[in-house]
Amino acid sequence: MGNLIMENVKRITSLDAADVSVYVGLNERQLKRYNEPDNGIFICESMKVIKRAIAAGYKPQSFFVEESQLEGVKQFNTDNVPIYAASENVMKNITGYSLTGGVLSAMHRKCPLTPTKLIESCNKIVVLDDVENPTNVGAIFRSAAALGAEAVLLTEGCADPLYRRAARVSMGTVFQLEWTYINRSDISLLKESGFTLMALSLTDDARSLRDLKLSANKRAVVLGNEEHGISPKILNTCNMNVIIPMSNGVDSLNVASASAVAFWEIFKKV
């Protein structure tokens, strides 16, 4: 094992150790506020997710790994970054953590872009309105990245894309797309910038994705809350409502599944 890794490694035998308190004693919201008034931190899980975060410019504060995974951490530039190592049994005792690959990293958050800056730089944008489930947010990001979206705007009621579960489900694609938060009252900025806003919503005037014909290059797909859908304020701002044709009496898909279908149809021709 290289000297670089060894010099930074500290063995952990108990989860009561202060060195790993950010991994054990803090919930997601507390981590987000960890450095107030500066940006907080978040926890990454698995080699692949950590690798994508670092490639996107996120800086690790520390690593917490199973001893068997120490060699794998060498792929990251770990100089001067603390690495805490513990046995598999110790790691399994972290409440609420079902580890993927036995590797965690506490990362520093970056300063978010302004909505205006993000909108100016993209032609294909996803808008999430109070999508509360981290699994759904992660899955939507993965589909968005795979099917041509360039950025994601989220209202404040959405689950944080950097929550551990969201980032893991996304397979690290939350680090590949630009994203930021936006007030509902500012959704009109998209229309002012020439975007056609299409809301995935079960309304009487909704158009079928199968028959949709679009000429505008700037397109935004709007997805809403898992139970209540898109808020009236945003729905009234959109250019049109669209639906996915269903069979066998099914009225809709889960928001994450629906997003993949919508992205394929709406973004593929831009």
Side-chain angles (χ1 to χ4, degrees), residues 76-103:
F76 310 122
N77 184 6
T78 56
D79 194 13
N80 299 319
V81 178
I83 302 169
Y84 307 112
S87 69
E88 182 179 357
N89 286 336
V90 169
M91 296 287 281
K92 281 183 177 178
N93 289 328
I94 301 176
T95 303
Y97 282 78
S98 177
L99 293 183
T100 301
V103 181

Side-chain angles (χ1 to χ4, degrees), residues 45-270:
E45 177 183 337
S46 86
M47 290 288 191
K48 178 178 285 188
V49 174
I50 293 169
K51 185 175 182 178
R52 286 183 170 171
I54 292 174
Y58 288 88
K59 305 297 184 184
Q61 181 197 63
S62 65
F63 294 92
F64 188 25
V65 305
E66 291 179 11
E67 291 169 344
S68 62
Q69 299 300 318
L70 273 171
E71 194 71 21
V73 180
K74 283 185 178 182
Q75 67 183 287
F76 310 122
N77 184 6
T78 56
D79 194 13
N80 299 319
V81 178
I83 302 169
Y84 307 112
S87 69
E88 182 179 357
N89 286 336
V90 169
M91 296 287 281
K92 281 183 177 178
N93 289 328
I94 301 176
T95 303
Y97 282 78
S98 177
L99 293 183
T100 301
V103 181
L104 298 171
S105 179
M107 296 268 183
H108 295 283
R109 288 176 177 265
K110 296 195 296 187
C111 291
L113 292 174
T114 64
T116 301
K117 185 78 171 177
L118 185 148
I119 291 168
E120 288 175 351
S121 63
C122 300
N123 289 325
K124 296 177 284 186
I125 290 179
V126 176
V127 179
L128 302 185
D129 182 25
D130 287 9
V131 179
E132 298 173 325
N133 188 307
T135 298
N136 284 337
V137 168
I140 291 169
F141 264 82
R142 187 174 181 181
S143 294
L147 299 172
E150 297 167 318
V152 181
L153 293 169
L154 308 97
T155 62
E156 288 294 335
C158 289
D160 188 340
L162 297 185
Y163 280 177
R164 186 177 67 98
R165 183 167 180 80
R168 189 183 72 218
V169 170
S170 82
M171 296 300 289
T173 55
V174 294
F175 307 114
Q176 294 178 283
L177 292 177
E178 295 286 3
W179 61 269
T180 194
Y181 288 96
I182 188 169
N183 294 324
R184 284 174 173 161
S185 58
D186 290 332
I187 295 296
S188 58
L189 291 172
L190 285 158
K191 290 182 76 173
E192 293 167 9
S193 297
F195 278 84
T196 297
L197 277 72
M198 288 157 277
L200 218 61
S201 181
L202 296 173
T203 57
D204 293 337
D205 64 347
R207 305 182 193 181
S208 169
L209 275 178
R210 183 182 292 148
D211 305 322
L212 199 60
K213 295 180 180 180
L214 296 170
S215 57
N217 285 330
K218 291 188 173 184
R219 303 173 186 179
V221 178
V222 184
L223 301 156
N225 178 270
E226 292 88 340
E227 182 178 355
H228 306 297
I230 300 167
S231 65
K233 188 176 188 65
I234 291 182
L235 206 58
N236 292 334
T237 306
C238 293
N239 298 90
M240 66 182 75
N241 301 319
V242 295
I243 57 172
I244 300 169
M246 297 283 145
S247 301
N248 298 316
V250 178
D251 64 351
S252 64
L253 299 173
N254 164 273
V255 65
S257 300
S259 74
V261 176
F263 300 157
W264 170 254
E265 286 295 331
I266 292 172
F267 292 147
K268 67 181 180 180
K269 300 172 185 176
V270 178

Side-chain angles (χ1 to χ4, degrees), residues 28-46:
E28 305 269 19
R29 293 185 183 277
Q30 290 170 324
L31 289 169
K32 193 172 183 179
R33 299 187 177 98
Y34 187 75
N35 292 322
E36 281 187 333
D38 296 326
N39 297 318
I41 59 177
F42 63 98
I43 305 299
C44 270
E45 177 183 337
S46 86

